[in-house]
Amino acid sequence: MTLSEAITALESRFPVLAKKEFRGETTLTVDAARIAEVCAFVKKDLGFDTLVNICAVDNLGSAPRFEVVYDLYSLADNRYLRLKALVPEEAPELPTVTGVWAAANWQERETYDLSGIRFTGHPDLRRILMWEGYPFHPLRKDFPLAGRPSETAEVAFTKVTPLEGGPFVTTPGPGGAKEHEPRSKQF
C-alpha cells in the first residue's frame, strides 16, 4: 500500500480536519477525541506499526493552544505519516494510545511532564523527568528562560535555576558547529 492509498483509506474512515504536505511529508490533523481509534486503525489496517515519537507543540496565544504530534512509520512499506490532534488550553487532555503502541507509555509521560497534557486511560501517568510535586511544565512557552524558584529545598534547587547560558546550550554567532558545541567552551 502506498502512502497516498493509506491516506485515502484514513480519510474515508475518519474526518480529517486538515491535511498538509511539506517537503514530501504528510501531516493529517484528526479529531482529538478519536485519536486512539485513529491510531489503532492506522496500525492494524494501514501498517504503521512503529510509533516513532509523540510530542507537543505550544502555540501560546492561539486557540487551541496545543498540538500533540504522532510520528508514525511502516517498517514493511518504508513510509512515514504524521498525525496531529488539537488540544485546548482549558482542558489539555487526550485519550492514551498505550493500548496501540507500548512505546507510547514513556512518550506520553514525557509530554505530560514537560507540556502538561494529560492522557486519559494511561496506566501510569506520572512525571518522568521532573520530580513529583513540581508545579510547572518547562516546555510551555510561558515558562521563563530564567527559570522559577522551587520551594522544595530537600528535592531540588532553592534559587532560580537558569536554563539559558548553561554548559549544554549553544551560543549564536559566526563560525561553525565546532565553535558552538557546548563541550568546546572553556570553564
Side-chain angles (χ1 to χ4, degrees):
M1 176 182 293
T2 67
L3 180 60
S4 61
E5 291 171 339
I7 291 170
T8 301
L10 178 63
E11 289 175 322
S12 67
R13 176 96 185 256
F14 297 97
V16 173
L17 306 176
K19 179 179 178 180
K20 190 180 273 188
E21 303 265 346
F22 182 69
R23 294 185 178 171
E25 297 179 356
T26 303
T27 304
L28 302 176
T29 304
V30 298
D31 181 13
R34 298 182 73 185
I35 190 66
E37 187 182 350
V38 171
C39 287
F41 174 74
V42 299
K43 180 182 180 186
K44 181 177 180 256
D45 296 339
L46 304 182
F48 289 94
D49 48 4
T50 304
L51 173 66
V52 177
N53 187 44
I54 298 174
C55 65
V57 178
D58 183 355
N59 298 310
L60 183 64
S62 298
R65 179 175 175 177
F66 300 103
E67 298 173 339
V68 176
V69 182
Y70 299 81
D71 291 309
L72 311 175
Y73 180 69
S74 171
L75 289 168
D77 300 322
N78 189 26
R79 53 195 163 91
Y80 289 91
L81 177 66
R82 181 175 299 119
L83 298 177
K84 282 188 182 180
L86 305 177
V87 182
E89 181 176 11
E90 302 77 43
E93 64 182 32
L94 283 173
T96 185
V97 296
T98 54
V100 180
W101 296 286
N105 188 338
W106 283 27
Q107 295 180 38
E108 288 180 352
R109 284 180 60 192
E110 181 181 35
T111 302
Y112 160 68
D113 189 4
L114 299 178
S115 298
I117 297 169
R118 301 187 71 74
F119 292 89
T120 56
H122 190 283
D124 186 23
L125 191 63
R126 59 189 164 99
R127 291 196 178 263
I128 194 167
L129 296 171
M130 306 305 289
W131 58 93
E132 284 300 324
Y134 186 70
F136 309 112
H137 302 285
L139 287 185
R140 287 188 172 190
K141 286 187 178 175
D142 52 3
F143 188 87
L145 278 178
R148 289 194 169 147
S150 171
E151 303 298 327
T152 54
E154 69 281 0
V155 177
F157 306 105
T158 55
K159 292 188 243 173
V160 170
T161 307
L163 296 179
E164 70 176 337
F168 303 108
V169 179
T170 61
T171 53
K178 184 177 179 185
E179 290 81 21
H180 298 291
E181 161 58 43
R183 289 171 284 195
S184 69
K185 293 180 183 177
Q186 299 299 319
F187 295 100

